[in-house]
Amino acid sequence: MNGQLHVAYALELPKHPSEVQRAFNIAPEAGFALSIKNPEAGAPPGAGLSEEEKPEYPEKLQEEFRDRRFELEDLRMLDYPGAEFILGARVDPERAYHLQLPKEEEDYAHADIVGELRMATSRHPVKPLFEGRWQ
């Protein structure tokens, strides 16, 4: 359809990555290329879904794999239950994708994420999110 999907991010909070980000190996900036797994392709032992859990794509969509293990372009495949995908990481998305990631100076009182998640600060301990530490 439109080529491979790329997702990139830049952390705004916490201002300086700390123990939580290191524990989960979250880089201050990263990008990912998404690839959808062909349900007819094999998987390593103990990995992947059972036959009952695999997606059942219409023949026309299944043909887009062209006997490859992954499809890069048709994101409609993600609309099917059991669709599997992998994310290939890029550590420097600005250079890899030739873009400038917008970063805002955020603080606890004005952070968009608090509103987007509809977190009542009186009921949810969100301060650790801004400090990058375990609660």
Side-chain angles (χ1 to χ4, degrees):
M1 286 189 56
N2 298 326
Q4 189 166 24
L5 174 67
H6 297 269
V7 179
Y9 73 86
L11 289 181
E12 293 176 347
L13 295 168
K15 290 184 193 296
H16 305 288
S18 66
E19 59 186 294
V20 175
Q21 290 74 34
R22 285 190 296 276
F24 288 103
N25 199 23
I26 299 172
E29 294 182 357
F32 301 91
L34 185 136
S35 299
I36 302 159
K37 184 181 181 303
N38 181 349
E40 294 180 358
L49 300 174
S50 69
E51 286 301 316
E52 298 81 36
E53 297 172 310
K54 290 182 179 182
E56 295 181 21
Y57 295 123
E59 186 175 334
K60 199 87 164 146
L61 271 182
Q62 184 62 45
E63 287 173 359
E64 290 191 29
F65 284 106
R66 297 185 290 281
D67 295 323
R68 295 175 302 177
R69 294 181 59 86
F70 294 95
E71 167 61 38
L72 307 177
E73 300 172 0
D74 200 332
L75 299 178
R76 293 176 299 168
M77 293 179 177
L78 294 175
D79 292 335
Y80 290 83
E84 294 180 276
F85 63 90
I86 61 168
L87 295 172
R90 291 195 182 256
V91 178
D92 188 354
E94 290 183 333
R95 193 173 84 210
Y97 305 132
H98 308 289
L99 55 83
Q100 180 71 36
L101 295 172
K103 299 174 198 161
E104 298 176 12
E105 286 294 318
E106 297 271 31
D107 63 25
Y108 178 78
H110 301 95
D112 295 335
I113 192 68
V114 173
E116 289 174 20
L117 295 176
R118 296 188 176 110
M119 298 175 76
T121 55
S122 61
R123 292 192 340 230
H124 300 97
V126 295
K127 191 172 179 185
L129 295 174
F130 296 86
E131 297 172 350
R133 65 177 175 80
W134 300 105
Q135 177 60 27

